[in-house]
Amino acid sequence: MSKPSLEIQLKTLPESPGVYQYFDADDTIIYVGKAKNLKKRVSSYFTKTHDNGKTRVLVKKIAHIKHIVVKTETDALLLENNLIKKHKPRYNVLLKDDKSYPWICIKNERFPRVFSTRRVYKGGGEYFGPYTSRKTVNTLLDLIRGLYSLRTCNYHLSEEKIDANKYKVCLEYHLGNCKGPCEGLETEQEYNTNIKAIREILKGNFKDSLQQFKAQMKQLAVDLQFEEAQKIKEKIEVLENYQAKSTVVNPNISNVDVFSIISDESYGYINFLQLSYGAIIRSHTLEIKKKLDETDLQLLELAITEIRQRFHSKSKEVYVPFKVNLGSDIKVTVPKLGDKKHILDLSIRNAKYFRMERFKQDKIVDPDRHVNRIMAQMKADLRLSEEPRHIECFDNSNIQGTHPVAACVVFKNGKPSKKDYRHFNIKTVEGPDDFASMEEVVYRRYKRLRDENQPLPQLIIIDGGKGQLSSALKSLDALGLRGKIAIIGIAKRLEELFYPDDPIPLYLDKKSETLKIIQHLRNEAHRFGIEHHRNRRSKTALNTELETIDGIGQKTVLELLKHFKSAKRVANAKLDELEAVIGVSRAKKIYNYFHKESL
């Protein structure tokens, strides 16, 4: 499919956090930016007058836009950094250098040091982050050092050197910030217990440590050291709010390709995320038109091969939502939880957004094409002789047999036509008889349409199983319409579709657009019927209440309803308003009845 125009792309961008990439006519990335709301941010480039000459030139060169949707603004910030460093777009000035966001490292050594760094070295230790705020890093390190005694020196504290008295304690020991492992004054086991607790804090599991901080804060308050207590409180707030992990940057996941698929009856949408050294450096979504009834497995295997060749991927491992066969040279992982599952979920999210945008773009470019496709699909799925451009759905509604009503909702070209909705009060049926009620309303509906020479629907849907369908068929037989209008019933339990004279129901794919439209029809009919039923019950209850007032007869009730239009307005009317309609004596009786509490 050809790329949509810039104007259409701008109309269909999601209002989500993410990163946008501008490409020129040669398909080269010329700018990367982040946004809290992609639609607002990207649209602003084309709707505002820019004072900056560089920005005006950039906008003129934009040929098309790509974007990656992420969960949070923080992830967008980190992803922007990754992509700028990888692609070095011409119009990006900031973040082009080697500067990156800070991490906290627990060094891989005896008596590990804990410190911040902007460089990640494989095997150098455990890295936590990255953090978009230097303040967060400093607060975390201050909290850790305030709670645990750690060394800050860079001595090589091997057992042999400590035993040989190679080192002497420094000022940090005398200040109480270090317990002197360099002189053997603290055992490796004691030190590693602290490191274990620190590791949990950095992972976000800091319940025990928080309790200690809170106890410390309360004690300072008891000791009237309010300034110190406030400092501890501020640190606790930062610690509780900081984001320990990011999906888009994770040093535990390196040199991996991630693939996911979303599909419908006509197309498959395969998203590809490429990770290098723990960071996402590329996102691409491929749209494949189905020729036959290809499965998601077949489409995904085809797409993985094509995408890896296009982008020259050499990754030896791929993450996918289900097992695929890619040969013996590539490791296939189906993540179930943790960091790997999070990155797969991000890929699925981008595939879904891409599909939604394609649908929106199709509707803008060619509204009839979208409708025609759905109508053709419904005709094939439901085995109809013509496209169901006009569909009507019926539903009965009653509670314990009271006030039985029915609803008829109308869809034209797959969309609700609310001006054509109709309510029916059941007239010929006594008690709760859904079958007889369905027979009555279907007969009344199509007798009227026939008598008034109004167009008949191509499809009737009955909310119910075989019983209700048979009742509706009796009415079509009586009107001589059987065979002229297609009719099916839908049972709620398993979404089975029943056809006349066919004992075996039809089951549609749960993702099918046809089933979704039928469910929408059924739900609309149910909602519309229940709404009418409640109104009737409420109106009847109020009318009955007026008749129970001592000294007020049916003639007076009718007179009041004729003037005030509803029983509720009668109840809220002022005394002089009532007197003007029915006289002083009866007006007082009604007014006093509805205003007992104020008397």
Side-chain angles (χ1 to χ4, degrees):
M1 186 179 288
S2 60
K3 291 172 183 172
S5 67
L6 272 177
E7 184 183 356
I8 293 170
Q9 279 191 286
L10 292 173
K11 288 180 180 177
T12 57
L13 282 167
E15 296 185 9
S16 305
V19 169
Y20 53 92
Q21 302 166 75
Y22 292 153
F23 291 78
D24 63 14
D26 298 324
D27 212 26
T28 302
I29 294 181
I30 56 175
Y31 188 79
V32 174
K34 66 180 182 303
K36 186 177 182 180
N37 182 315
L38 281 166
K39 187 167 190 173
K40 285 184 179 178
R41 182 71 186 98
V42 175
S43 298
S44 70
Y45 278 88
F46 300 89
T47 55
K48 290 181 180 178
T49 302
H50 300 284
D51 297 329
N52 189 310
K54 185 194 79 170
T55 306
R56 289 199 298 272
V57 174
L58 164 66
V59 172
K60 285 180 183 177
K61 290 194 173 185
I62 298 170
H64 69 275
I65 304 163
K66 279 188 180 181
H67 63 266
I68 306 173
V69 177
V70 292
K71 271 189 175 183
T72 66
E73 202 176 354
T74 300
D75 275 354
L77 192 65
L78 296 168
L79 181 54
E80 178 196 36
N81 184 27
N82 300 344
L83 295 174
I84 289 172
K85 283 185 169 56
K86 168 68 179 175
H87 300 289
K88 295 183 170 55
R90 180 179 176 184
Y91 288 91
N92 282 98
V93 176
L94 299 174
L95 302 177
K96 240 185 179 182
D97 57 18
D98 290 333
K99 182 181 177 183
S100 60
Y101 291 103
W103 301 73
I104 292 179
C105 174
I106 299 179
K107 188 73 172 170
N108 186 15
E109 61 188 355
R110 199 162 178 260
F111 298 102
R113 286 168 289 162
V114 180
F115 55 90
S116 66
T117 179
R118 290 187 183 272
R119 295 187 178 276
V120 176
Y121 296 100
K122 192 171 182 181
E126 292 180 77
Y127 293 90
F128 299 86
Y131 301 93
T132 53
S133 166
R134 183 76 208 186
K135 181 183 176 184
T136 303
V137 173
N138 292 337
T139 302
L140 277 168
L141 290 174
D142 286 348
L143 282 168
I144 288 167
R145 288 165 186 157
L147 189 60
Y148 304 104
S149 299
L150 297 172
R151 73 176 180 116
T152 55
C153 62
N154 58 3
Y155 295 150
H156 177 54
L157 299 184
S158 65
E159 194 173 351
E160 296 80 10
K161 289 184 177 180
I162 292 173
D163 289 343
N165 296 321
K166 179 96 176 169
Y167 308 113
K168 296 293 180 184
V169 293
C170 62
L171 182 61
E172 290 294 309
Y173 172 77
H174 296 292
L175 293 173
N177 297 331
C178 175
K179 292 186 177 178
C182 58
E183 286 193 23
L185 301 175
E186 182 180 22
T187 66
E188 189 175 2
Q189 184 179 355
E190 290 170 342
Y191 195 95
N192 286 339
T193 299
N194 291 343
I195 292 295
K196 185 179 178 182
I198 292 167
R199 189 178 288 113
E200 291 304 305
I201 288 176
L202 294 174
K203 285 180 179 178
N205 305 325
F206 38 76
K207 184 179 176 182
D208 292 341
S209 298
L210 272 175
Q211 287 175 351
Q212 291 184 49
F213 290 136
K214 287 174 181 176
Q216 186 180 355
M217 180 181 67
K218 287 177 182 177
Q219 187 58 49
L220 287 167
V222 169
D223 296 340
L224 305 182
Q225 298 181 41
F226 299 117
E227 287 186 11
E228 294 299 320
Q230 178 61 28
K231 288 178 183 177
I232 297 292
K233 183 183 178 183
E234 289 172 1
K235 291 180 179 181
I236 289 171
E237 287 173 353
V238 173
L239 188 58
E240 285 177 331
N241 293 329
Y242 97 98
Q243 187 176 8
K245 287 189 177 183
S246 169
T247 304
V248 303
V249 183
N250 192 323
N252 297 324
I253 301 174
S254 185
N255 301 327
V256 169
D257 291 344
V258 184
F259 294 92
S260 64
I261 181 168
I262 297 293
S263 68
D264 52 39
E265 295 99 328
S266 306
Y267 289 90
Y269 305 89
I270 296 89
N271 178 262
F272 162 57
L273 296 178
Q274 186 176 14
L275 279 83
S276 178
Y277 299 103
I280 294 174
I281 59 168
R282 179 176 282 115
S283 176
H284 177 76
T285 302
L286 179 67
E287 181 181 42
I288 299 180
K289 182 170 176 57
K290 294 182 179 178
K291 295 178 182 177
L292 299 169
D293 293 327
E294 292 97 338
T295 64
D296 283 359
L297 173 63
Q298 291 169 324
L299 290 174
L300 188 59
E301 287 180 345
L302 175 69
I304 289 174
T305 302
E306 183 178 331
I307 290 171
R308 281 172 61 88
Q309 285 178 353
R310 183 187 302 185
F311 293 105
H312 310 292
S313 173
K314 304 294 182 184
S315 300
K316 295 295 183 183
E317 184 176 9
V318 299
Y319 297 166
V320 285
F322 46 78
K323 279 289 182 185
V324 293
N325 183 10
L326 302 175
S328 57
D329 294 336
I330 300 173
K331 181 183 177 183
V332 175
T333 301
V334 181
K336 298 298 181 186
L337 45 84
D339 294 346
K340 295 179 181 180
K341 183 65 167 62
H342 292 154
I343 199 72
L344 180 63
D345 288 344
L346 180 65
S347 176
I348 293 170
R349 177 192 295 251
N350 278 275
K352 285 180 178 176
Y353 271 101
F354 186 91
R355 178 172 177 263
M356 285 192 291
E357 286 160 44
R358 275 294 196 230
F359 279 2
K360 290 176 185 175
Q361 290 161 5
D362 286 347
K363 287 179 183 178
I364 294 170
V365 174
D366 187 358
D368 292 337
R369 177 186 165 195
H370 178 71
V371 171
N372 293 342
R373 181 180 65 79
I374 290 175
M375 290 297 105
Q377 192 68 48
M378 289 191 76
K379 177 185 174 184
D381 288 345
L382 299 174
R383 307 180 303 211
L384 304 175
S385 60
E386 58 183 327
E387 292 181 352
R389 296 279 173 168
H390 177 174
I391 309 173
E392 298 191 351
C393 180
F394 292 85
D395 181 39
N396 291 326
S397 181
N398 70 77
I399 296 178
Q400 297 178 341
T402 63
H403 311 304
V405 298
C408 170
V409 300
V410 180
F411 273 36
K412 291 182 178 177
N413 290 325
K415 295 292 182 183
S417 178
K418 295 195 175 183
K419 65 183 176 65
D420 296 313
Y421 285 17
R422 294 293 181 269
H423 284 132
F424 295 89
N425 294 325
I426 305 302
K427 296 177 178 178
T428 63
V429 181
E430 293 292 332
D433 188 339
D434 280 348
F435 299 148
S437 298
M438 185 64 72
E439 188 176 344
E440 177 191 324
V441 297
V442 171
Y443 184 86
R444 285 168 55 190
R445 171 66 173 168
Y446 296 112
K447 183 178 187 303
R448 181 164 188 166
L449 290 185
R450 190 188 63 179
D451 293 348
E452 295 177 0
N453 289 320
Q454 293 188 46
L456 296 170
Q458 287 87 37
L459 175 64
I460 299 170
I461 297 174
I462 304 299
D463 183 14
K466 293 179 181 178
Q468 280 95 336
L469 181 61
S470 298
S471 299
L473 281 166
K474 288 179 186 177
S475 296
L476 294 185
D477 283 335
L479 294 165
L481 294 175
R482 184 162 183 173
K484 296 181 181 178
I485 309 174
I487 182 169
I488 59 175
I490 178 170
K492 290 185 179 72
R493 194 170 67 88
L494 296 172
E495 307 291 41
E496 303 140 311
L497 299 179
F498 290 98
Y499 286 75
D501 306 319
D502 189 346
I504 301 172
L506 173 70
Y507 295 93
L508 293 176
D509 189 308
K510 292 292 184 282
K511 293 189 292 185
S512 159
E513 285 182 274
T514 299
L515 181 60
K516 286 176 181 174
I517 289 175
I518 291 173
Q519 288 170 332
H520 190 184
L521 272 153
R522 191 261 315 280
N523 295 340
E524 268 291 276
H526 186 67
R527 177 196 64 76
F528 194 55
I530 288 290
E531 186 180 272
H532 180 52
H533 185 264
R534 285 174 180 156
N535 290 341
R536 272 200 73 197
R537 271 191 343 213
S538 175
K539 186 176 178 181
T540 305
L542 278 167
N543 290 353
T544 306
E545 187 178 11
L546 283 172
E547 292 174 0
T548 61
I549 300 172
D550 191 34
I552 302 299
Q554 192 173 9
K555 187 177 178 182
T556 305
V557 170
L558 289 173
E559 201 173 344
L560 286 165
L561 291 175
K562 186 177 179 181
H563 180 81
F564 289 101
K565 308 301 181 187
S566 75
K568 189 174 181 181
R569 288 182 179 176
V570 174
N572 294 329
K574 295 177 181 177
L575 181 59
D576 58 345
E577 292 174 335
L578 293 168
E579 288 175 353
V581 180
I582 56 173
V584 176
S585 177
R586 287 178 296 171
K588 280 185 178 178
K589 289 177 182 179
I590 290 173
Y591 186 83
N592 291 341
Y593 177 82
F594 286 111
H595 297 80
K596 292 171 186 173
E597 293 180 4
S598 60
L599 295 176

